[in-house]
Amino acid sequence: MSADGRVRPHYREFAQWLAQQTPDAIERKRAEADLAFRRVGITFAVYGDNAGTERLIPFDMIPRIIPADEWSLLQRGLEQRVRALNMFIDDIYHEQHIIRAGVVPAEQIYRNAQYRPEMQGIRVASDIYAHIAGIDIVRAGAGEFYVLEDNLRVPSGVSYMLEDRKMMMRLYPELFASHKVAPVEHYPDLLLDNLRSVAPVGVIDPTVVVMTPGMYNSAYFEHAFLAQQMGVELVEGKDLFVNNNAVWMRTTRGPKRVDVIYRRLDDDFLDPLAFRADSALGVPGLLSVYRAGRVTLANAIGTGVADDKSIYPYVPAIIRFYLSEEPVLNNVPTYQCRHAKELDYTLANLAQLVVKEVHGAGGYGMLVGPASSAREIEDFRARLLARPDGYIAQPTLALSNCPTFVENGVAPRHIDLRPFVLSGKTISMVPGGLTRVALREGSLVVNSSQGGGTKDTWVLEQ
């Protein structure tokens, strides 16, 4: 609803339908959804939760609805941002024009834990590094969109987007007859086409695999799901080996050459000869084949240098530098605590700010000032003083709400949106993305690892 209590035009038809549903009918559908998700095995990990490490994905049946004109704006901004970030990563590992121009300080690159000197000078297929990007977007008080975070290493959650849509169509097919909702089920086809398009030079019919750390990884369901949906093999490091400067997969019919690896494990574990020697998850010699241009890794090694929170404040300048355009989507104003004046401001306003670790992820290692106790704020103050260059701070945005089913009925809960942007020969995406919802009242943390849930995201076609 708008501030004056009227239902927004793009929600009007859904609101009328919802008003006709009885609580018992809704509860039966929720139970049906839980049972179906349990059968499929859609789980995620909530670390530190006493109830157990594996839980069903909390799915809410009230969709987030985006009108066509708003999605058009978002799509334009997402394409612009991902194009510039890929150009930035390519530049960092080659000519470094942006460093020489003084736009991004050299120390922000070379001291970045995600910078990989091993990638310096390596030419990757089509100069694409972030083949799959998950860009987190929030909407604030005046209705404006902000990019909250760029996820360029191994962004997850797209399987939830697909399963949420499948569940809504199963439970309420009549809604899709009365609403012109843009489809998302073709994402696996788009992903496979994208991966095949960046195969090594000269490969006509590339073999693509999904590489997983294994069944104990919290996102293993998604790894298996995407492999199955694309019709490609799901492999672990032990299933692959290097021979004659190529990567091979062990099969029942003998070794098979692998051309493109959609890897779902971090850089450190990819090759024990190049990175962590104690890694049992990777493939010895993989980097040497990669350097020779005889296999494509998606996403590329070293891509994380661009999604680190210490680089985030520079993204608007990165867009201007490479594209000579103004950013379509805004950044959240950000204070870099490595600067003395910005640290002083942060320390004086901890109770009003959100403070994040520059290398943090999943909602861990952060302070939400307005939701924290005096003791928590003082404990965080000590951490900040001990290592100021490890943190950034941002104002606490008045994130938009979406009606959500909770124990006591329907109530507003904060949401964000993670669209998935695919980069290959072209940039493509399915309309919408994964809407995440903070299920705890007043919470601003939507991460599933922190107990958040998900919603189906409808982009209405014109």
Side-chain angles (χ1 to χ4, degrees):
M1 295 182 175
S2 57
D4 60 7
R6 288 186 293 182
V7 176
R8 299 182 190 277
H10 52 286
Y11 271 99
R12 197 168 292 146
E13 196 166 347
F14 179 84
Q16 292 171 357
W17 173 88
L18 185 62
Q20 297 169 3
Q21 308 306 305
T22 66
D24 287 346
I26 291 291
E27 193 53 45
R28 284 196 303 271
K29 294 291 189 179
R30 293 178 72 184
E32 183 180 340
D34 283 350
L35 180 60
F37 280 138
R38 190 179 299 278
R39 284 175 175 165
V40 175
I42 305 174
T43 59
F44 68 98
V46 181
Y47 300 107
D49 193 307
N50 294 328
T53 57
E54 290 295 321
R55 278 190 175 187
L56 285 178
I57 178 173
F59 167 65
D60 185 69
M61 293 187 297
I62 299 180
R64 190 233 183 105
I65 304 178
I66 301 173
D69 59 333
E70 287 185 6
W71 174 248
S72 179
L73 171 73
L74 289 171
Q75 184 173 14
R76 195 158 49 89
L78 290 164
E79 290 177 355
Q80 178 196 59
R81 193 173 182 98
V82 170
R83 182 178 290 110
L85 286 170
N86 268 308
M87 295 174 73
F88 169 70
I89 303 168
D90 183 65
D91 187 26
I92 288 304
Y93 289 118
H94 293 92
E95 292 83 6
Q96 301 186 339
H97 296 302
I98 199 165
I99 294 176
R100 292 205 297 270
V103 177
V104 177
E107 65 269 18
Q108 289 296 93
I109 303 299
Y110 300 131
R111 293 181 184 174
N112 191 313
Q114 297 301 320
Y115 170 70
R116 299 292 178 181
E118 299 88 350
M119 286 294 293
Q120 206 66 49
I122 296 181
R123 280 291 166 198
V124 300
S126 302
D127 296 331
I128 299 298
Y129 288 77
H131 307 84
I132 302 98
I135 310 298
D136 293 346
I137 294 175
V138 296
R139 193 168 198 171
E144 69 277 23
F145 291 107
Y146 289 98
V147 173
L148 195 61
E149 197 168 286
D150 302 295
N151 298 282
L152 307 179
R153 282 172 268 180
V154 283
S156 63
V158 75
S159 61
Y160 300 154
M161 174 191 80
L162 295 169
E163 288 292 346
D164 286 355
R165 173 60 55 84
K166 191 186 300 182
M167 182 58 64
M168 283 297 289
M169 295 184 77
R170 170 179 171 170
L171 296 177
Y172 300 113
E174 69 273 17
L175 286 173
F176 293 87
S178 60
H179 291 78
K180 294 180 65 175
V181 181
V184 299
E185 58 269 15
H186 59 294
Y187 175 86
D189 295 330
L190 273 183
L191 176 59
L192 181 58
D193 289 346
N194 176 73
L195 294 172
R196 289 173 62 89
S197 77
V198 292
V201 175
V203 177
I204 305 301
D205 186 20
T207 296
V208 178
V209 299
V210 177
M211 185 179 180
T212 176
M215 63 181 294
Y216 296 108
N217 184 269
S218 62
Y220 180 72
F221 164 79
E222 177 158 299
H223 307 163
F225 174 88
L226 289 174
Q228 187 269 332
Q229 292 290 309
M230 288 192 291
V232 304
E233 295 293 337
L234 178 69
V235 300
E236 297 181 32
K238 62 188 178 184
D239 300 318
L240 304 176
F241 66 94
V242 168
N243 189 36
N244 291 331
N245 209 22
V247 178
W248 302 83
M249 170 173 53
R250 294 181 173 88
T251 77
T252 55
R253 297 184 178 182
K256 183 176 178 60
R257 175 84 178 268
V258 173
D259 304 298
V260 180
I261 301 174
Y262 177 22
R263 51 92 173 211
R264 295 297 297 259
L265 67 162
D266 293 336
D267 292 352
D268 283 340
F269 302 99
L270 281 173
D271 183 349
L273 301 183
F275 304 114
R276 282 186 55 161
D278 62 344
S279 172
L281 303 175
V283 184
L286 177 61
L287 180 62
S288 64
V289 181
Y290 188 50
R291 290 184 68 94
R294 293 173 59 82
V295 71
T296 296
L297 295 177
N299 287 349
I301 295 171
T303 300
V305 72
D307 78 359
D308 187 277
K309 293 180 181 65
S310 66
I311 295 298
Y312 168 89
Y314 297 97
V315 175
I318 288 171
I319 292 171
R320 296 184 187 101
F321 183 80
Y322 293 110
L323 301 179
S324 300
E325 298 172 359
E326 282 301 305
V328 175
L329 299 174
N330 294 319
N331 266 23
V332 178
T334 302
Y335 305 98
Q336 301 179 66
C337 296
R338 65 190 185 91
H339 297 313
K341 288 185 178 179
E342 296 181 31
L343 174 62
D344 290 344
Y345 178 85
T346 299
L347 291 170
N349 294 277
L350 279 177
Q352 288 80 46
L353 297 173
V354 175
V355 188
K356 305 175 182 178
E357 286 184 321
V358 295
H359 304 313
Y364 296 102
M366 64 186 290
L367 174 81
V368 181
S372 301
S373 67
R375 174 65 182 273
E376 289 169 334
I377 290 173
E378 290 311 307
D379 287 347
F380 210 92
R381 185 187 304 276
R383 292 163 59 183
L384 191 52
L385 285 168
R387 195 168 59 89
D389 60 341
Y391 295 90
I392 62 167
Q394 297 171 332
T396 305
L397 298 179
L399 298 188
S400 60
N401 293 296
C402 188
T404 302
F405 281 109
V406 295
E407 288 186 7
N408 298 324
V410 177
R413 291 292 185 268
H414 294 301
I415 55 172
D416 80 350
L417 176 67
R418 176 176 290 183
F420 295 90
V421 186
L422 303 178
S423 299
K425 297 295 185 185
T426 60
I427 297 178
S428 58
M429 67 192 85
V430 298
L434 177 67
T435 291
R436 302 183 298 175
V437 54
L439 294 176
R440 299 188 184 102
E441 185 175 3
S443 174
L444 298 173
V445 182
V446 298
N447 307 74
S448 59
S449 56
Q450 300 284 304
T454 66
K455 290 174 172 284
D456 191 13
T457 308
W458 295 3
V459 173
L460 299 181
E461 296 180 319
Q462 288 180 327

